[in-house]
Amino acid sequence: RGLGDVYKRQELHSIRSLRDEIKFWERALERIRNKSPVGSPQFDAVPCNSGVSNRVQDRVENTRSIEEIIAEKKAELEAKERELTEYIMTVDDSLVRRAMYLRHVCCKSWNAVAMDIGGDNTADTIRKAHDRFIKRNL
């Protein structure tokens, strides 16, 4: 296996990683917003040189910065989902194609993948079919 194969395998997991990162930044933003009484009447009349205004301004800037990061990560996620879906659509095996989409684009557990696919498929049989495909093709 070459470096390209390692890269392709990492790409399969990149969507889950990006979603986790977006959640991280959303939690950080929520923490800042919960601390920040920006827009509350008590801060509207605070003089600019009080030090309180500087803290409020810092929170506003941090909020904007994190909102930009979240927007960039969401755009990156959307592009990766499109790219990965295009790749998955080239897979000949219907079961593997559905399993890959549900697992890597929808980020579902193997049990949830098996339930969505239905039939007599178990999480283990679907995972093994997926892994065999990956081993043969990546």
Side-chain angles (χ1 to χ4, degrees):
R1 289 195 169 85
L3 185 60
D5 296 334
V6 172
Y7 172 75
K8 288 177 189 173
R9 285 175 187 251
Q10 289 173 341
E11 282 299 300
L12 289 176
H13 302 288
S14 65
I15 288 176
R16 184 179 304 267
S17 178
L18 264 174
R19 284 187 181 181
D20 290 345
E21 187 174 1
I22 290 167
K23 287 177 189 172
F24 167 84
W25 287 113
E26 287 172 339
R27 286 190 306 270
L29 182 61
E30 189 62 30
R31 282 193 301 275
I32 290 171
R33 285 182 174 156
N34 286 339
K35 289 181 184 178
S36 178
V38 175
S40 64
Q42 69 189 48
F43 280 93
D44 290 342
V46 174
C48 289
N49 59 358
S50 70
V52 172
S53 180
N54 289 338
R55 287 193 306 265
V56 171
Q57 184 62 32
D58 288 347
R59 286 183 179 154
V60 168
E61 289 173 12
N62 285 340
T63 297
R64 285 187 189 133
S65 176
I66 292 175
E67 286 171 339
E68 288 174 14
I69 290 169
I70 291 169
E72 290 171 9
K73 293 297 176 185
K74 284 183 175 181
E76 185 180 347
L77 175 62
E78 198 174 296
K80 284 197 179 287
E81 285 174 339
R82 241 187 340 267
E83 180 183 310
L84 187 53
T85 299
E86 287 174 11
Y87 168 73
I88 289 170
M89 294 310 296
T90 67
V91 173
D92 290 336
D93 185 311
S94 173
L95 176 73
V96 172
R97 187 172 51 246
R98 289 178 286 154
M100 289 180 79
Y101 180 80
L102 292 167
R103 177 70 177 171
H104 299 293
V105 178
C106 299
C107 299
K108 292 190 174 201
S109 69
W110 286 116
N111 285 331
V113 170
M115 287 178 63
D116 282 2
I117 290 176
D120 291 331
N121 295 298
T122 66
D124 201 40
T125 58
I126 290 175
R127 181 188 53 77
K128 286 179 181 180
H130 167 276
D131 291 351
R132 281 191 300 271
F133 174 85
I134 296 297
K135 197 173 205 173
R136 282 192 315 265
N137 294 286
L138 292 184

